[in-house]
Amino acid sequence: LFRSAIDLLKDANGHVIVDSTTGQPQLTPNPVNKGSYLPSYMASWGTKLTYKGFTLNILFDTKQGGVFFSNTKAITDFNGTSLETAYNNRQDYVFPNSVYETTSGGKPTGNYVTNNSQSFHPYTYYTSTEQFAPGQDIIDASYIKLREVSLTYELPKKWIKKTPFGSVSIGVFGNNLIIWTPGVNAYVDPEQNSSGASNAQGYEFSSNPSQRNYGFDLKLTF
C-alpha cells in the first residue's frame, strides 16, 4: 500500500532543484517514498430528526490522510486541460520554490541558490518532464462526503384508517451528493479505482466519475 515513484529532485530544505540553463525541474535518480494509501483516520457523522410525521436523515463521512495515484491528473496535465497548466496564461515563469546549483569554472559546486530569474517553459514541463515524474501524480486521498440525505413523510393514521394499510410513507433520497477534497485534488473522487469492487486501492487510471444517485420511495404496511 506504499507508493514510491520518480519525483522532482529537491534539496535538503525541500526546494525543487531546476536546471540553471533551462529552468526545468530535475528528477530523482531513484523512486522516492510518497506515502501510503491508508488514511490517518476515518470518521462519520449522522443524524435523524423527526417532526410531525417528517423524518430527515443525514450522513457525512470522511477519510483524512493517505495518497493515491491519479492517471486522470497525468493525462489532463499532458493535454493541457488541467487548471494548473493554464497558470500565467501558459507563458514562461520561474518554477515555484526552486533553486539551482551554482558552478565554478564550469563545474558544479554543490551549493544551491534561490531561483529568482531562470524561468521554464510550461509546455515542455507538462508534456515531457512531468510525464517522467509520476510522483507528481500521487496526491492527497483525503475527502469529506455528504454520503446520504433522505426526507420521509408518514401519513397520519386518520388519513388511512378506512384503507387496508397499516401505515403509508413517502420520501425522497440522494446518495453521494457532495464531495470536498484538498486543493491539490481537483481531478477525481479518491474512492474511485480502476478495478471496480476489488482490493486494488490507491490506483486511479482514468476511471469514470463517481455518480450522484437520487430517488423516491413509497412504503406500505398492511
Side-chain angles (χ1 to χ4, degrees):
L1 293 174
F2 288 91
R3 303 288 175 258
S4 297
I6 298 296
D7 202 6
L8 303 186
L9 186 63
K10 297 181 179 179
D11 68 5
N13 296 314
H15 303 114
V16 174
I17 301 173
V18 302
D19 186 279
S20 60
T21 302
T22 65
Q24 288 289 333
Q26 299 184 32
L27 305 182
T28 59
N30 300 301
V32 296
N33 181 19
K34 298 292 291 184
S36 168
Y37 175 70
L38 297 176
S40 300
Y41 68 88
M42 303 166 60
S44 62
W45 176 86
T47 187
K48 180 179 180 180
L49 305 173
T50 59
Y51 179 73
K52 293 185 177 181
F54 288 95
T55 300
L56 175 65
N57 284 287
I58 301 175
L59 177 63
F60 289 88
D61 65 27
T62 182
K63 289 183 180 180
Q64 295 296 315
V67 294
F68 74 106
F69 174 82
S70 173
N71 195 51
T72 296
K73 179 183 184 301
I75 291 174
T76 54
D77 279 354
F78 177 78
N79 61 29
T81 55
S82 67
L83 184 61
E84 61 185 349
T85 63
Y87 180 77
N88 199 42
N89 201 28
R90 306 183 190 279
Q91 301 303 307
D92 292 6
Y93 60 95
V94 174
F95 198 91
N97 194 37
S98 63
V99 297
Y100 61 84
E101 187 174 10
T102 59
T103 60
S104 178
K107 296 182 179 180
T109 64
N111 298 317
Y112 297 95
V113 296
T114 300
N115 178 24
N116 294 316
S117 59
Q118 187 57 59
S119 59
F120 76 107
H121 189 44
Y123 177 84
T124 302
Y125 173 70
Y126 287 111
T127 61
S128 180
T129 304
E130 194 196 52
Q131 297 304 305
F132 294 99
Q136 288 297 290
D137 302 315
I138 297 177
I139 55 179
D140 195 334
S142 302
Y143 68 82
I144 300 172
K145 279 191 176 185
L146 177 54
R147 182 72 69 179
E148 181 180 338
V149 176
S150 66
L151 179 63
T152 303
Y153 178 65
E154 184 173 348
L155 274 62
K157 298 294 185 182
K158 64 182 180 180
W159 292 8
I160 60 173
K161 64 181 180 179
K162 294 183 179 181
T163 71
F165 306 119
S167 65
V168 177
S169 64
I170 56 176
V172 293
F173 65 87
N175 298 316
N176 204 37
L177 297 176
I178 304 175
I179 180 172
W180 293 271
T181 58
V184 295
N185 179 17
Y187 310 97
V188 69
D189 182 343
E191 287 193 307
Q192 295 295 97
N193 67 71
S194 301
S195 303
S198 76
N199 291 325
Q201 300 294 312
Y203 292 99
E204 181 274 317
F205 287 90
S206 307
S207 56
N208 291 327
S210 55
Q211 296 180 336
R212 297 184 182 94
N213 299 311
Y214 304 94
F216 66 92
D217 54 43
L218 173 64
K219 295 181 180 178
L220 307 172
T221 63
F222 296 90

